[in-house]
């Protein structure tokens, strides 16, 4: 009998909350590129006698995220000390949450492009402080020796929300879709930039394998996954490794493993610690945190339109493909931009097409955000309506768009700057150009008239010459029909 194997995956995701100051002190959270150990104070350095004070906006961001994840918010929660010794932790404990997290029992729906939906259960969302960083080369160029390293505490005390899922994910692809959805959500909520490469969103992936003969292997926890691709590859590798072990009658060791992206493998690091190893106890320096029902309902009322709500609204309002909807709604401000273009009179299909191609490409190339994009939705809508009305060719519109994207300018002056007049070449002018092209390409014309252009390539060639002659300023379908008449 051949055995079959199924992966069982649960994720622990640390989301760095985008507050200005740290979770228990007023130091700046802006540690990227900062001179080491400058964003520190007695609290985040753990100096004796310094007392932590909880940052209220951290709680608000956590509650907003938890509500969007359909969690139950706990009215009274506590902070615990998680004790372990490591040099990046100046107090030798991390302030975290244990049996009383801010929120529990949530749900997040994921779906692939084929429209398959699946609901993933969220176990809990809790708050904790980040640790410092060990660095091996200092910013002044000094290198740490073989047995040394430098410590930078700038990141210590930066707020994190940890979102733990139930082991409901049953493929590496589902795990990727889940992380992508959560990342999109925290960006919509504005609670985090969700940038995995910068470490604003860190994923630990737990995976075990079930065998069709009833066996269920131990799980491994994979660390160091700093992109969606790394996550999916690491889980695929680990699924295969564990399946092979189980297929040959072996056992999987429960341990923490490290993903080596260059080699595409996971490597065992250490046995998995258990909760009792950390000697959790309530932090006596911090009072219980009370999240009032009033605060919860205020947060609920202030939630923006969530990604799945926006997707549903757009797909009910317009006839667009699921793929269009997904791309347009990936970022909230892109979706809003698209919405505004359509509200200003552009046809939804053409607007979707232009936003997906021209707008997104230009934003990528210029590194701009939609907020300071020079082409206002009204201007794009006007440009697109000229195409719809047949007075502007797509090619000409593209160059007008490029002009507007360089500098904020009206459609009229961009048209003028590109030497494009609405209406393009029509009537007599178009007829003259076509006559000229037909005369200059006698041999091609003869081939067509002799009936040797079954695939229409020669016709297309002539059409291209006409478009070139009018510098793209003609309606392609009228060029085609005028040319057809000239060739008969
Ligand atoms: P720990 O406290 O040891 O980290 P948890 O019970 O908090 O363990 O679970 C941590 C993560 O591991 C959760 O995301 C959970 O879904 C996942 N997990 C638990 N059991 C399994 C399993 N058998 N296979 C895969 N993932 C699992
Ligand atoms: Mg855990
Ligand atoms: Zn501080």
């Amino acid at each position: 009998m051949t055995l079959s194997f199924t992966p069982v995956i649960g994720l622990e995701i640390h989301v760095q909350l985008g507050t200005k100051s740290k979770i228990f002190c007023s130091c700046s959270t802006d540690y990227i590129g900062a001179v080491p150990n400058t964003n520190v104070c007695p609290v985040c350095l753990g100096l004796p006698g310094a007392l932590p004070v909880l940052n209220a906006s951290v709680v608000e961001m956590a509650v907003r995220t938890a509500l969007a994840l359909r969690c139950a918010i706990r009215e009274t929660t506590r902070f615990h000390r998680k004790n372990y010794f490591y040099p990046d932790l100046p107090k030798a404990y991390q302030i975290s949450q244990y049996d009383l997290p801010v929120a529990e029992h949530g749900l997040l729906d994921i779906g692939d492009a084929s429209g398959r939906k699946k609901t993933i259960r969220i176990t809990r969302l809790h708050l904790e402080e980040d640790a410092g960083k060990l660095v091996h080369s200092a910013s002044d160029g000094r290198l740490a020796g073989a047995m040394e390293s430098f410590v930078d505490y700038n990141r210590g005390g930066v707020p994190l929300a940890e979102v733990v899922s139930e082991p409901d994910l049953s493929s590496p692809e589902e795990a990727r879709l889940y992380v992508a959805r959560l990342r999109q959500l925290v960006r919509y909520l504005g609670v985090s930039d969700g940038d995995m490469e910068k470490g604003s969103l860190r994923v630990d992936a737990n995976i075990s394998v079930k065998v069709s003969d009833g066996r269920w292997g131990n799980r491994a926890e994979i660390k160091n996954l700093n992109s969606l691709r790394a996550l999916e590859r690491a889980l695929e590798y680990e699924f295969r490794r564990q399946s092979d072990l189980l297929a040959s009658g072996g056992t999987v060791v429960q341990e923490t493993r490290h993903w080596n992206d260059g080699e595409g493998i996971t490597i065992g690091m250490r046995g998995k610690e258990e909760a009792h190893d950390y000697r959790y106890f309530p932090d006596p320096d911090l009072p219980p945190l009370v999240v009032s029902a009033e605060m919860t309902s205020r947060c609920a009322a202030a939630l923006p339109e969530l990604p799945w709500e926006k997707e549903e609204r757009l797909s009910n309002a317009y006839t667009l493909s699921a793929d269009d909807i997904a791309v347009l709604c990936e970022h909230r401000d892109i979706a809003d931009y698209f919405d505004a273009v359509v509200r200003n009179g552009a046809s939804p299909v053409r607007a979707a097409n232009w936003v997906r191609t021209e707008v997104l490409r230009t934003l990528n190339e210029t590194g701009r955000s939609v907020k300071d994009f020079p082409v206002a939705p009204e201007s794009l809508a006007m440009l697109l309506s000229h195409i719809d009305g047949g007075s502007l060719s797509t090619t000409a519109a593209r160059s007008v768009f490029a002009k507007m994207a360089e500098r904020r300018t009206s459609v009229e002056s961009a048209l003028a700057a590109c030497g494009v007049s609405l209406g393009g070449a029509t009537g007599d002018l178009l007829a003259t150009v076509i006559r000229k092209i037909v005369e200059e390409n006698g041999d091609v014309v003869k081939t067509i008239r002799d009936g040797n252009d079954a695939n229409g390539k020669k016709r297309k060639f002539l059409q291209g010459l006409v478009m070139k002659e009018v510098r793209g300023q003609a309606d392609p379908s009228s060029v085609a029909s005028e040319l057809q008449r000239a060739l008969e």
Side-chain angles (χ1 to χ4, degrees):
M1 190 185 85
T2 57
L3 296 171
S4 65
F5 302 88
T6 316
V8 177
I9 301 167
L11 303 181
E12 296 165 279
I13 304 182
H14 286 94
V15 179
Q16 187 181 306
L17 298 176
T19 52
K20 288 222 162 16
S21 55
K22 293 185 179 180
I23 181 167
F24 298 118
C25 62
S26 55
C27 292
S28 164
T29 51
D30 202 359
Y31 61 83
I32 291 177
V35 176
N37 299 309
T38 50
N39 295 339
V40 292
C41 73
V43 174
C44 56
L45 286 177
L47 300 188
L51 287 175
V53 176
L54 181 61
N55 178 344
S57 35
V58 170
V59 181
E60 196 183 308
M61 287 186 176
V63 171
R64 283 157 55 80
T65 311
L67 286 171
L69 290 170
R70 293 185 269 163
C71 287
I73 310 293
R74 192 184 278 281
E75 284 215 25
T76 307
T77 94
R78 277 225 70 120
F79 286 94
H80 275 69
R81 292 186 178 179
K82 181 179 182 179
N83 298 279
Y84 65 97
F85 177 75
Y86 202 63
D88 64 0
L89 202 60
K91 302 189 290 289
Y93 62 82
Q94 176 192 28
I95 304 177
S96 180
Q97 295 195 295
Y98 182 51
D99 54 346
L100 299 170
V102 174
E104 295 170 294
H105 310 309
L107 299 168
L108 180 64
D109 293 336
I110 58 169
D112 58 21
S114 70
R116 218 165 30 95
K117 277 239 177 308
K118 181 167 172 180
T119 301
I120 308 303
R121 290 169 302 159
I122 310 284
T123 318
R124 54 193 265 144
L125 180 151
H126 72 248
L127 287 169
E128 61 188 30
E129 56 177 347
D130 207 345
K133 264 185 175 171
L134 297 188
V135 282
H136 297 278
S137 58
S139 50
D140 60 10
R142 280 175 300 147
L143 291 179
M147 301 295 285
E148 333 175 301
S149 92
F150 300 119
V151 192
D152 175 8
Y153 289 120
N154 283 347
R155 199 182 65 181
V158 167
L160 301 176
E162 179 171 347
V163 179
V164 181
S165 84
E166 291 290 313
D168 288 346
L169 299 156
S170 26
S171 69
E173 189 202 10
E174 281 185 12
R176 172 174 55 76
L177 291 169
Y178 170 81
V179 176
R181 198 56 150 169
L182 185 72
R183 179 179 66 178
Q184 182 190 31
L185 176 65
V186 297
R187 287 175 171 168
Y188 262 63
L189 294 171
V191 300
S192 175
D193 65 26
D195 191 328
M196 292 182 77
E197 265 140 60
K198 281 191 344 208
S200 310
L201 198 140
R202 280 167 255 162
V203 181
D204 296 338
N206 296 270
I207 172 171
S208 61
V209 172
K210 274 187 174 173
V211 191
S212 51
D213 63 9
R215 283 178 298 151
W216 186 356
N218 286 323
R219 71 176 137 123
E221 177 172 352
I222 317 170
K223 303 249 180 208
N224 186 44
L225 302 167
N226 48 23
S227 67
L228 291 179
R229 194 172 134 70
L231 169 75
E232 197 169 4
R233 284 176 69 213
L235 284 170
E236 264 153 18
Y237 174 87
E238 193 57 24
F239 173 48
R240 217 171 316 115
R241 187 188 71 87
Q242 294 183 14
S243 302
D244 289 349
L245 268 172
L246 293 166
S248 61
T251 51
V252 176
V253 180
Q254 176 152 342
E255 63 181 351
T256 303
R257 296 178 71 85
H258 178 92
W259 169 246
N260 180 325
D261 200 68
E263 293 184 36
I265 57 172
T266 65
I267 300 155
M269 295 203 297
R270 53 182 149 95
K272 173 109 187 64
E273 39 308 86
E274 306 279 343
H276 64 250
D277 293 333
Y278 291 120
R279 303 289 187 271
Y280 277 100
F281 67 90
D283 192 319
D285 288 344
L286 285 159
L289 164 64
V290 176
V291 180
S292 65
E294 187 269 323
M295 174 181 172
T296 302
S297 49
R298 192 161 36 81
C299 287
L303 286 180
E305 184 178 37
L306 300 176
W308 41 91
E309 294 167 344
K310 201 178 280 287
E311 287 166 359
E312 189 172 318
R313 183 169 59 78
L314 293 192
S315 63
N316 287 338
Y318 314 121
T319 331
L320 296 173
S321 70
D323 193 48
D324 275 345
I325 297 278
V327 172
L328 293 171
C329 293
E330 176 57 26
H331 297 281
R332 186 176 157 187
D333 47 7
I334 300 285
D336 292 345
Y337 183 90
F338 164 77
D339 229 4
V341 175
V342 176
R343 260 189 306 160
N344 278 282
S347 86
V349 173
R350 198 183 293 283
N353 201 309
W354 273 66
V355 172
R356 285 192 63 167
T357 54
E358 304 301 314
V359 176
L360 285 181
R361 175 157 41 73
T362 314
L363 289 174
N364 265 337
E365 283 169 4
T366 56
R368 276 212 171 93
S369 75
V370 179
K371 289 199 172 52
D372 48 30
F373 189 51
V375 186
E378 300 78 26
S379 306
L380 181 56
M382 187 185 286
L383 190 67
L384 300 189
S385 65
H386 289 320
I387 306 179
D388 283 336
S391 56
L392 194 63
S393 72
T394 308
T395 323
R398 279 208 194 93
S399 56
V400 175
F401 175 83
K403 188 58 82 190
M404 293 196 295
E406 278 169 22
R407 198 162 0 95
R408 194 173 293 277
T409 159
S410 68
V411 179
E412 292 76 19
S413 38
L415 283 164
C418 295
V420 176
S421 56
L422 288 179
T426 52
D428 287 351
L429 173 60
L430 186 56
T432 312
V433 171
I434 289 179
R435 208 175 316 119
K436 172 171 174 265
I437 297 295
V438 167
E439 275 164 17
E440 285 173 4
N441 295 274
D443 44 347
V444 181
V445 171
K446 184 175 185 310
T447 316
I448 298 173
R449 286 187 174 143
D450 289 348
N452 292 326
D453 186 33
N455 57 13
K457 273 204 176 132
K458 303 262 185 257
R459 220 171 280 261
K460 275 263 175 301
F461 168 75
L462 292 181
Q463 205 174 319
L465 292 178
V466 175
M467 287 307 277
K468 200 166 156 200
E469 188 72 26
V470 299
R471 285 179 295 132
Q473 297 161 42
D475 171 35
S477 61
S478 37
V479 171
S481 55
E482 289 294 310
L483 187 64
Q484 175 61 26
R485 274 205 303 193
L487 289 171
E488 271 159 9

